[in-house]
Each structure stands twice: as structure tokens, then as C-alpha cells.
Amino acid sequence: MIDFTFTDEQEMFRKASREFAENRVAPFVPEMEKTGKTSPELVKALAEAEMMAVTIPEEYGGLGLGFVARLIALEEISRISVATAMMLQVFALGIDPIVRFGSEAQKKRYLPPLATGERLASVAVTEPTGGSDPAGGRTTYVKDGDGYVISGRKCFITNSHVADTITVLAKDETNPKAFSAFIIPKGTEGFKATHEEHKVGMKGCNTGELTLDKCRVGAESLLGEEGKGLRVTMSAIGDVGRGGMVGCSLGVQTACLEASIKFANERVLYGKPISALQGIQNKVAEMKIDLEAGRLLAYRAAALQDRGERSSNEFAVAKYFTTEAAQKAAKIAVDIHGGYGCMEEFAVSRYLRDAFVLGPSAGTSDIMKVIIARWVLG
Ligand SMILES: Cc1cc2nc3c(=O)[nH]c(=O)nc-3n(C[C@H](O)[C@H](O)[C@H](O)COP(=O)(O)OP(=O)(O)OC[C@H]3O[C@@H](n4cnc5c(N)ncnc54)[C@H](O)[C@@H]3O)c2cc1C
């Protein structure tokens, strides 16, 4: 049976997420746009609303609500602030490898403080050598007694300067085919957040570089099996990272549609609102079609994920579709606003800048097509 309705609990969670976004997140947006900095008060608000606990199992202090719930929260928060949704989505991305691959000791140590927001997570895979080719990375590790020494540089890492519990992918210096993942707490000697990026959009969501300079970690840092680190990190990016970008994109699409409807009903030309013009109606209809289609793709993938089934291919389809649709919706929304669309007072100019940042994160549209082609061609 296919049932496209949300449960009462999910509807309540959506309502609560919307209220949270409108009342607690929206006030931070002007400051984030101005400074480009992550507000610690906003992180605190997310933690108080238990937003970091959504995907963490109850036995480790989380809410255990799953990935449909997470998508609901991201959609609602992104409708108000994509930057905040992006930050939150990557907290969950950083949590996922520990939930799926962590030892009991690692789960007990890290998950309860990650659920309360006392600790904040991220995943560092991308390097200056190219994010589309993670196996081409040059960050390496060598065994050193009962631990490892890691050296290299990671770039474009979300929450680089905010997170303190980071899963880092590194290559075995003696075997370039073997990668391992390590949980590295901030404060570990030789591990530093360095350059902070200034993005065109998603201002207030921190992105930057991490350097590892002969960073020594104990054996307890190894996450999952030694030599199987690509699976640990890429499965998190495939399911949770892509799923998160989908949530962020749907929020942008919704915000663009709502702003366009409002403006089209208020702007009067030729003696009537421009919403009466068929050319404008077609644009609004296109945005609605893309939003409806995107939501179906997104929630189908998240429902599979909640059932414990493979969802990375479905998320690749949804990620391709929704990030492209968000960019299209933002361009249409700016167009509908005429000259006002180019003015900073109108949020649609922010949506356009934010929408373009959705593209590369968790894999570009080209890479989504590579994944989808591999899926269908076998
Ligand atoms: C805002 C933001 C947040 C991010 N957060 C994180 C994070 O938290 N952690 C992390 O590890 N990474 C993160 N990334 C990095 C992101 O995953 C990479 O930017 C992405 O994978 C692309 O890598 P690249 O930028 O090096 O581009 P490249 O890999 O150099 O790609 C350059 C171009 O080549 C194209 N291309 C590459 N391969 C193919 C192919 N096979 N066929 C056709 N075209 C191809 C690409 O589509 C792109 O157009 C983030 C990026 C951004 C922008």
C-alpha cells in the first residue's frame, strides 16, 4: 500500500518546526547576512529545540525520530534560513557515521553530547585535489605504536570552525588504495581550523579549511574498520548529506514560491495585480510543479531510509532534481520581482545566492548523474 499522508505526529512536528523557524531562527538572519558568522546563540536555540537529537537513537540520548522527521525540520528551517538548515544538516551528517559504524564505546562517548548540542559534528572528506574524486585525496595516516599520525588539508568543510567532533577521511601512506575514517575531537594537537571561506550565499553557515599537521590520535579514534573508511564517510554523504541538501532545497523552493505569490498579488500593472497575467501564472505553476515533484522524490527516499533500506540512489535523483529546481525557482522568483528582485531588502535576492551554493555540496549535479547512470546501467 502507498500512503502519501504524514502521521499526526509528523504534522505536529512540522508545525513545531515551522514555529521554531519563524520565531527563533528568523531573528538571526539579518545579522548572519551582515557578518557571515555563525551565531553561538542560534546554535544554542537549535540545541534547546532538540534539533540535533532528531536522528540519534533514544538509547544514546536522542529523539530517534528518523529521517522523514529530519526532512520535515530541514524543509521548515530552510524556508526561513538556508544557512541554518545547512549547518544543522551537516551536524546530522557528522553524527551518522558514529551511529552506523561507531563502537559501543564511541557511541556512548560522543552521541549523548551530540544530541544535546554540547558537542557539534561534521565530516571532512573534500580536499583541494577535488571533491568529486575523494580517492584522489592526499591526507595520509601512518601507524604509530597503538595509534595513528595524520597529515593533510581538508577544504570546503561545513562547520569547520564550529564543530568539535569531526570524522576525517585519510589514506594509508603505505597503501594508497586503503582509506580509514577517524573521529578527531577539536583540541587534538596538530588539528586546526584555519582559513574561513566567504561564500556568496548561505551566509552565517561556516565553511572552511582544516589542517592536520602530524596529528596523533589513539586507536580509539578509528571509526569502522581500518581500510574501510571510504564506505564510512561516503555512505553518510550519500544518504544523510544528500538527504540534507534535499531538505535545504525544498525550503528554498517553498520560500521562492511564497514570496512570488505575495509579490504577484500585490504588484499592480495595467490596473490589476500581475498574478492576473498568464505569463506570471505560468512561472508560478512551474515552481509549484517542481516543488510537488521534489517533495515526492524526497519523502520517498527518506521513507526508504527510515525502513533501513538503501536510499542513496533515490537521494541522488532527489538531490539532482531539488537543487536544480531550487536554482530555477530562485531565478524565477527574482524575475517576477522585476527590479525589486535585485534589491537586498527583498529576500528573493538572498534565495538566489543561497540556491547557487546548494549545487556542489554533497556532490555536484554532474556527479549525481554519474551515480544515477551507474545505478540504471548496472
Ligand atoms: C557550501 C559547501 C559545503 C560543503 N561542505 C562539505 C563538508 O562538510 N564536507 C566535505 O567533505 N565537503 C564539503 N563540501 C565540498 C563538496 O562536496 C565539493 O565542493 C564537491 O564534491 C565538488 O568538489 P570540488 O568543489 O572540488 O569540484 P571538482 O570535484 O573539482 O569538480 C569541478 C567540476 O568538474 C565536474 N566533474 C567532476 N567529475 C565529473 C565527472 N565524472 N563527470 C562530469 N563532470 C565532472 C564537477 O561537476 C564540477 O563541475 C562543501 C562544498 C560547499 C560548496
Side-chain angles (χ1 to χ4, degrees), residues 102-168:
S103 65
E104 199 48 36
Q106 287 169 329
K107 288 182 191 181
K108 284 196 173 129
R109 176 175 172 193
Y110 292 112
L111 293 179
L114 286 169
T116 57
E118 201 183 314
R119 277 184 171 276
L120 302 168
S122 187
V123 167
V125 170
T126 304
E127 299 191 18
T129 46
S132 306
D133 176 22
R138 292 194 190 136
T139 296
T140 56
Y141 67 89
V142 278
K143 277 214 151 161
D144 177 44
D146 61 351
Y148 303 87
V149 175
I150 309 167
S151 295
R153 182 155 72 99
K154 299 286 176 181
C155 66
F156 300 160
I157 306 306
T158 305
N159 300 333
S160 54
H161 291 59
V162 173
D164 54 13
T165 307
I166 305 183
T167 295
V168 175

Side-chain angles (χ1 to χ4, degrees), residues 33 38 50 53 71 76 91 108 140 174 202 240 247 294 312 323 365 373:
E33 284 298 304
T38 302
E50 298 186 281
L71 194 55
E76 293 302 332
F91 290 149
K108 284 196 173 129
T140 56
T174 60
M202 285 191 201
V240 180
S312 55
T323 52
S365 283

Side-chain angles (χ1 to χ4, degrees), residues 63-342:
L63 295 173
L65 293 177
F67 290 93
V68 168
R70 174 194 185 226
L71 194 55
I72 290 172
L74 288 177
E75 235 195 312
E76 293 302 332
I77 293 171
S78 174
R79 174 177 163 268
I80 299 297
S81 164
V82 193
T84 306
M86 178 71 177
M87 166 172 52
L88 180 63
Q89 98 88 349
V90 175
F91 290 149
L93 168 65
I95 286 165
D96 186 69
I98 304 176
V99 172
R100 277 206 263 184
F101 296 95
S103 65
E104 199 48 36
Q106 287 169 329
K107 288 182 191 181
K108 284 196 173 129
R109 176 175 172 193
Y110 292 112
L111 293 179
L114 286 169
T116 57
E118 201 183 314
R119 277 184 171 276
L120 302 168
S122 187
V123 167
V125 170
T126 304
E127 299 191 18
T129 46
S132 306
D133 176 22
R138 292 194 190 136
T139 296
T140 56
Y141 67 89
V142 278
K143 277 214 151 161
D144 177 44
D146 61 351
Y148 303 87
V149 175
I150 309 167
S151 295
R153 182 155 72 99
K154 299 286 176 181
C155 66
F156 300 160
I157 306 306
T158 305
N159 300 333
S160 54
H161 291 59
V162 173
D164 54 13
T165 307
I166 305 183
T167 295
V168 175
L169 182 70
K171 186 188 280 189
D172 185 342
E173 202 175 78
T174 60
N175 175 8
K177 290 217 165 101
F179 287 79
S180 294
F182 301 92
I183 310 174
I184 314 189
K186 276 270 178 67
T188 305
E189 209 183 320
F191 184 44
K192 262 204 313 225
T194 48
H195 172 69
E196 197 169 357
E197 301 290 350
H198 297 282
K199 301 188 297 303
V200 295
M202 285 191 201
K203 288 182 180 287
C205 171
N206 152 249
T207 313
E209 288 194 5
L210 294 166
T211 57
L212 299 115
D213 181 14
K214 297 196 185 92
C215 171
R216 194 181 189 287
V217 295
E220 73 285 352
S221 277
L222 180 70
L223 182 58
E225 272 178 65
E226 192 175 336
K228 300 275 170 64
L230 268 177
R231 190 167 159 247
V232 171
T233 50
M234 297 321 284
S235 62
I237 291 172
D239 298 333
V240 180
R242 263 170 232 153
M245 295 320 298
V246 168
C248 293
S249 304
L250 290 173
V252 176
Q253 288 179 257
T254 306
C256 289
L257 180 60
E258 288 177 357
S260 299
I261 291 169
K262 182 171 183 293
F263 187 86
N265 282 331
E266 287 172 359
R267 177 68 168 163
V268 174
L269 291 180
Y270 322 109
K272 54 190 177 189
I274 59 169
S275 56
L277 301 172
Q278 203 170 47
I280 299 288
Q281 290 171 359
N282 285 347
K283 288 186 171 122
V284 171
E286 266 184 56
M287 291 162 97
K288 177 68 174 164
I289 292 163
D290 284 350
L291 177 59
E292 290 297 313
R295 293 185 87 226
L296 286 174
L297 291 172
Y299 282 100
R300 177 187 63 151
L304 284 175
Q305 198 177 10
D306 275 344
R307 289 209 300 264
E309 291 175 39
R310 229 194 124 169
S311 58
S312 55
N313 291 327
E314 286 78 2
F315 271 127
V317 175
K319 204 250 167 192
Y320 175 87
F321 187 86
T322 58
T323 52
E324 294 284 332
Q327 292 173 9
K328 181 176 147 195
K331 164 77 167 59
I332 295 177
V334 166
D335 287 346
I336 288 177
H337 280 67
Y340 295 105
C342 309

